[in-house]
Amino acid sequence: MHNPKARSILVIGETPADVAYMQARLKGFGCRVSTAFAGPGAARKAVEEKALALFIGVDTDITTIAAAVHAERGRIPVIAFGRAGNPQAAAKSIARGAVEFVGIPADDAFLRAVLDAAVPEPGQFLHRDPKSSRIVNLAHRVAASDVPLLIIGETGTGKEVLAHEVHRVSKRRDGPFISINCAAIPDTLLESELFGYEKGAFTGATQRRIGKFEEANGGTLLLDEIGEMELRLQAKLLRALQERQIDRIGTNQSVSVDIRILATTNRDLEVEVKAGRFREDLFYRLNVINIVLPPLRERTGDIPVLVDFFLSKYADIAPFGRCTLGEDAQEKLMSYNWPGNVRELENTIYRAALLASGPVVTANEVILTSEQKTYYQALLESSTPLSSPQPSTWHSAVVPQPGAAPPSAYAANVAAAKGFAQPDATPPVASLAPEEDPDDPSGSATIGTFVGQTIAAVEQELILATLDRCLGNRTQAAHILGISIQTLRNKLDRYGA
Ligand SMILES: Nc1ncnc2c1ncn2[C@@H]1O[C@H](COP(=O)(O)OP(=O)(O)OP(=O)(O)O)[C@@H](O)[C@H]1O
Ligand SMILES: [Mg+2]
């Protein structure tokens, strides 16, 4: 099956056996793999193939191939491979420009870690802290089977991202990943969302509708915030899980479904069971294996890699493009307790990227959620204008490409995060930000024009631009802005938007 989103990799080696081995292993991770043999045409093929990473046999001329590729296509990650247990070969290949050496036969977890670091997939669970690495390893082990998994953690810890990670590395990876938020949908609607309905099942059911269970057939269904589901629906859910069959509302004809169930909760379900609010049998059904995702303050080692990712993610809307953090800013982030966890960190970095007065973000420009009010007040009182960007800095911005591999500055960071040799700091797969365009509706170049405006006007502009970015999704916009949906609604009403 051809997956257009599959990561494309080129394998170059000396012998058919080695090339076939590496090709098969990478295909096993869902990659699209093309191959070439060492020789005069290898460098040309490497340039033309447009792969996201190169796996090159250790006896091949890595230097020449890497130089040809880097000259024409930027710094594409090169990974060397060869017989395991040969430290000299490993050292030699790293010295010649490879970011990592994979010994064959290759260990599954190691090969995946190398691949994910070199070519991160969208939605990957980023981590560096040893606590998180252990969790990700467990999630990967569990992913191989179809057992249900319950992910427990405070809000914003990345439960949904971890659930997606399980799907991503499972054998269902080419099937759908469907998520339903049990807290966000009223009970009456949740049943039809989950199970679907037949035409005429109730007033307004003018045609048959497929539910999430059927939509997820062949893939994974994430029951997000399962602790919020009402007891009656829990009974129906239990039956569906036990029998792997569902009944659409309005019919008693069962439909078989082949799905893997994942669930998340930020409530203690054992307490809920004791209080009679959650069915014990459903709890045991879902809780075959559980993973507790610790709050961010207990795995601060993840902060640098997450920050780098978010800085790249927001580079195109930041006046100074891809910023870095000054030492004082890093310290500030490391010592805060992050009650809103990764989501709050993301909002904070988004704000910092917008407010930065230069390419290096200072601690003063990192406005924690609790400091927001004071910051805006101080700005008003001091009438210190927000600085306008130097146009020339726009040209060095690294723009993340939605759906494509993130910029390689990020890849390099992930590589570093996993203890890999850090490749050259030059961003390899970077594209340049466009020239400042006054007609650009994205609002990306507007901060310079804020100078001289009131805070209220700037706020309105920021809110509307964020909403625009989020394609009108108010929940998402409120999250990014760090305000409640109600506050956002009130402000929009005031603007007449
Ligand atoms: N490890 C991670 N790598 C990359 N992004 C992450 C990671 N963890 C969290 N995020 C980002 O942080 C935000 C919150 O993550 P997510 O929605 O998974 O949290 P959650 O635990 O499900 O929160 P809630 O309980 O509020 O639903 C998302 O924007 C997500 O992309
Ligand atoms: Mg969630």
Side-chain angles (χ1 to χ4, degrees):
M1 194 171 29
H2 176 70
N3 172 4
K5 283 201 236 141
R7 292 174 281 188
S8 59
I9 309 288
L10 174 63
V11 173
I12 304 174
E14 299 282 325
T15 68
D18 280 358
V19 170
Y21 172 83
M22 205 33 97
Q23 180 182 32
R25 293 301 307 275
L26 292 169
K27 274 190 170 171
F29 292 127
C31 298
R32 197 168 58 242
V33 187
S34 44
T35 59
F37 288 101
R44 187 86 323 256
K45 170 114 180 165
V47 169
E48 283 164 5
E49 199 60 41
K50 304 232 177 341
L52 295 174
L54 307 175
F55 277 68
I56 308 184
V58 74
D59 295 323
T60 310
D61 184 357
I62 294 178
T63 320
T64 307
I65 297 174
V69 171
H70 295 165
E72 291 206 33
R73 298 194 40 224
R75 197 155 287 274
I76 308 301
V78 171
I79 294 111
F81 64 92
R83 299 280 142 237
N86 186 349
Q88 287 86 0
K92 191 176 76 179
S93 55
I94 303 284
R96 291 182 175 171
V99 291
E100 187 51 86
F101 173 83
V102 174
I104 49 178
D107 170 73
D108 219 51
F110 180 67
L111 184 54
R112 178 181 287 286
V114 170
L115 178 66
D116 286 349
V119 191
E121 282 190 295
Q124 206 171 297
F125 187 94
L126 304 176
H127 60 96
R128 182 190 291 186
D129 195 284
K131 254 191 203 160
S132 304
S133 302
R134 281 196 292 274
I135 285 168
V136 171
N137 283 342
L138 175 61
H140 285 184
R141 279 213 306 278
V142 175
S145 69
D146 263 349
V147 292
L149 172 67
L150 181 63
I151 304 172
I152 304 160
E154 287 180 12
T155 181
T157 42
K159 297 185 292 296
E160 194 166 344
V161 182
L162 188 66
H164 188 263
E165 178 75 19
V166 170
H167 173 75
R168 187 183 76 87
V169 305
S170 75
K171 56 183 187 297
R172 296 173 174 271
R173 55 173 300 137
D174 292 326
F177 176 79
I178 304 291
S179 163
I180 179 159
N181 187 330
C182 305
I185 303 172
D187 293 334
T188 42
L189 276 181
L190 187 56
E191 181 173 6
S192 57
E193 278 291 310
L194 278 172
F195 301 105
Y197 50 80
E198 287 295 336
K199 181 176 175 179
F202 45 81
T203 325
T206 50
Q207 55 190 353
R208 170 196 276 183
R209 164 115 189 252
I210 298 293
K212 299 287 183 192
F213 264 92
E214 283 180 82
E215 232 181 278
N217 202 13
T220 305
L221 177 62
L222 169 63
L223 302 168
D224 214 2
E225 308 203 28
I226 187 80
E228 312 300 316
M229 188 181 276
E230 59 148 359
L231 282 162
R232 187 187 62 85
L233 214 48
Q234 289 178 25
K236 191 162 177 184
L237 174 63
L238 181 68
R239 181 181 167 265
L241 298 186
Q242 277 168 343
E243 295 170 18
R244 307 214 154 262
Q245 286 193 335
I246 53 128
D247 299 330
R248 290 188 200 124
I249 301 172
T251 171
N252 42 23
Q253 232 186 332
S254 299
V255 183
S256 295
V257 282
D258 164 31
I259 51 174
R260 200 251 175 91
I261 293 284
L262 303 175
T264 75
T265 178
N266 53 30
R267 290 193 188 208
D268 185 337
L269 286 189
E270 278 176 272
V271 170
E272 297 299 296
V273 168
K274 282 200 189 101
R277 288 188 294 263
F278 202 83
R279 288 183 69 113
E280 192 172 17
D281 44 11
L282 179 59
F283 172 66
Y284 287 119
R285 189 90 206 172
L286 295 171
N287 192 39
V288 178
I289 295 194
N290 73 51
I291 292 186
V292 179
L293 208 42
L296 188 58
R297 62 189 161 277
E298 289 174 20
R299 47 181 173 110
T300 49
D302 288 338
I303 292 177
V305 72
L306 288 166
V307 167
D308 274 314
F309 174 65
F310 295 137
L311 284 171
S312 295
K313 181 172 169 183
Y314 295 116
D316 61 339
I317 47 106
F320 286 89
R322 174 56 164 88
C323 301
T324 54
L325 288 187
E327 238 171 76
D328 55 344
Q330 291 174 27
E331 273 165 31
K332 185 168 182 178
L333 295 178
M334 294 303 278
S335 56
Y336 181 58
N337 72 343
W338 301 111
N341 295 296
V342 184
R343 183 178 293 110
E344 187 183 4
L345 176 66
E346 178 166 0
N347 293 341
T348 307
I349 297 303
Y350 178 73
R351 266 197 303 273
L354 274 179
L355 296 174
S357 55
V360 181
V361 178
T362 65
N364 289 340
E365 291 160 343
V366 173
I367 318 296
L368 302 172
T369 314
S370 55
E371 296 171 339
Q372 263 180 296
K373 231 180 177 165
T374 335
Y375 173 78
Y376 293 124
Q377 195 61 38
L379 252 190
L380 258 180
E381 281 161 14
S382 72
S383 74
T384 309
L386 294 167
S387 18
S388 61
Q390 303 302 311
S392 62
T393 59
W394 278 90
H395 297 278
S396 59
V398 176
V399 180
Q401 316 238 315
S408 52
Y410 157 55
N413 273 307
V414 180
K418 301 206 171 175
F420 300 157
Q422 181 132 21
D424 192 312
T426 325
V429 203
S431 57
L432 298 180
E435 295 281 335
E436 194 169 328
D437 178 0
D439 296 321
D440 178 3
S442 69
S444 54
T446 50
I447 206 151
T449 63
F450 286 169
V451 180
Q453 292 190 56
T454 63
I455 291 290
V458 173
E459 183 186 86
Q460 175 170 348
E461 215 164 310
L462 175 65
I463 288 176
L464 294 177
T466 308
L467 193 64
D468 197 40
R469 284 254 139 202
C470 300
L471 306 175
N473 183 334
R474 292 182 176 198
T475 314
Q476 181 70 7
H479 273 316
I480 291 173
L481 291 160
I483 58 177
S484 72
I485 296 169
Q486 190 53 47
T487 310
L488 177 64
R489 224 178 272 144
N490 293 344
K491 286 181 189 290
L492 291 174
D493 284 347
R494 220 172 303 139
Y495 308 150

